[in-house]
């Protein structure tokens, strides 16, 4: 069988259409060990995610991790699951629909607010009619469903001839951004007629993104008062990746510095930490949970935690920060703990993505 199959040319009416692909990390289909096992296998089999020799890692993964961790992780996912499903999936789907509307406002008049409610889970891009839109926004998960490969195949079927990929990771890391782009390239290995491609590498200092973070903090403080300390918790990475040249740590501090400047905070009022350690190797420090324990033990009565590296609330923010870290802070003498929600579908975040995408679409649209 030939590797490349015949492909009909795109329809003339679709020859000027552009696709924007939002990519998030992914989520299991259900909060069960059965659903977690294949999802974890895909995730932890990615050589970008786990940089260990396959001959060493695969026996550990299949012999130990996949036999014990799915059940433990399922309980954690169950604690954050909503009637609509995974929070990460719900927020990503809604964000894509809102961005689609925002980008196409110049193409056709926007409906009145009462005629266009916030899309519900299952009513996002998959069921929308884009026949009159010049820009089609789709979304995919690096691990799990909808996959990058399936979503790109759908875009090709719609006659999309240009695709901008936007990994929803503000700070670049080989394990996240580069992995997403690897999958985009893999999806097209068997395509004969390739679309034009662009991608957003990262946006740790994007003014719109920083403004959206600052707005979320100000709104939280307006409702709940300002805490003694603001902790900016980013997902961790093994120290080895930093030593080998991964720019992730540097970009995290760029974001934190700009957020502190925008909020006009003194140096000691914002601390950068790293969460979600895995395995026995040394990861980027300081670690989030021990930092919060230390703050509480030293007399800090209230802590506010924001997670700038996560575009949408997920297991790491809703369970690890809002539950596990909260309990640890209280156990060491803290009295008040606030987990500031991620950007999710905030209007400022939609506007920031709109501006970011438009800048990368210059010359295409």
């Amino acid at each position: 069988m030939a590797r490349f199959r015949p492909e009909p040319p795109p329809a003339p009416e679709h020859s000027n259409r552009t696709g924007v692909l939002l990519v998030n990390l992914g989520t299991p289909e259900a909060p069960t060990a059965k659903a977690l096992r294949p999802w974890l296998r895909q995730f932890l089999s990615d050589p970008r995610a786990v940089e260990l020799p396959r001959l060493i890692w695969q026996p550990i993964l299949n012999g130990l991790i996949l036999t014990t961790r799915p059940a433990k992780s399922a309980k954690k996912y169950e604690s954050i699951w909503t009637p609509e499903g995974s929070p990460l999936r719900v927020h990503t789907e809604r964000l894509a629909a809102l961005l689609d509307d925002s980008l196409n406002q110049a193409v056709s008049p926007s409906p009145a607010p009462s005629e266009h409610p916030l899309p519900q889970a299952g009513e996002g891009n998959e069921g929308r009619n884009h026949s009159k839109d010049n820009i089609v926004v789709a979304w995919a998960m690096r691990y799990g469903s909808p996959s990058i490969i399936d979503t790109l195949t759908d875009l090709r079927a719609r006659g999309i001839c240009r695709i901008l990929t936007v990994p929803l990771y503000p700070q670049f890391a080989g394990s996240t951004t580069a992995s997403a782009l690897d999958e985009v390239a893999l999806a097209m290995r068997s395509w004969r007629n390739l679309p034009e491609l662009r991608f957003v590498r990262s946006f740790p200092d994007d003014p719109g993104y920083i403004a959206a973070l600052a707005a979320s903090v100000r709104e939280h403080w307006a409702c709940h008062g300002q805490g003694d300390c603001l902790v900016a918790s980013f997902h961790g990475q093994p120290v080895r990746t930093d030593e080998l040249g991964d720019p992730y740590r540097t970009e995290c501090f760029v974001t934190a510095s700009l957020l502190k400047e925008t909020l006009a905070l003194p140096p000691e009022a914002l601390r950068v930490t790293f969460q979600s350690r895995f395995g026995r190797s040394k990861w980027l420090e300081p670690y989030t949970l021990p930092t919060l324990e230390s703050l509480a033990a030293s007399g800090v009565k209230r802590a506010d935690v924001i997670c700038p590296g996560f575009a949408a609330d997920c297991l790491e923010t809703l369970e690890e920060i809002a539950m596990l870290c909260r309990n640890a802070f209280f156990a060491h003498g803290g009295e008040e703990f606030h987990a500031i929600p991620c950007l999710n579908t905030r209007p400022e975040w939609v506007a920031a993505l709109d501006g970011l995408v438009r800048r990368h679409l210059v010359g295409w649209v």
Side-chain angles (χ1 to χ4, degrees), residues 128-177:
R128 293 163 57 81
N129 181 4
H130 299 285
S131 60
K132 296 183 180 179
D133 292 352
N134 280 348
I135 304 173
V136 175
V137 179
W139 60 282
M141 298 297 184
R142 173 60 185 90
Y143 313 106
S145 176
S147 70
I148 291 176
I149 291 178
D150 288 345
T151 305
L152 286 172
T153 300
D154 178 65
L155 287 176
R156 179 173 63 162
R158 298 185 189 183
I160 302 300
C161 61
R162 296 180 293 261
I163 298 174
L164 170 68
T165 300
V166 187
L168 292 174
Y169 313 118
Q171 297 77 28
F172 178 95
S175 59
T176 54
T177 313

Side-chain angles (χ1 to χ4, degrees), residues 79-91:
S79 70
I80 68 161
W81 215 256
T82 72
E84 298 170 301
S86 163
L88 179 69
R89 181 187 178 101
V90 171
H91 290 309

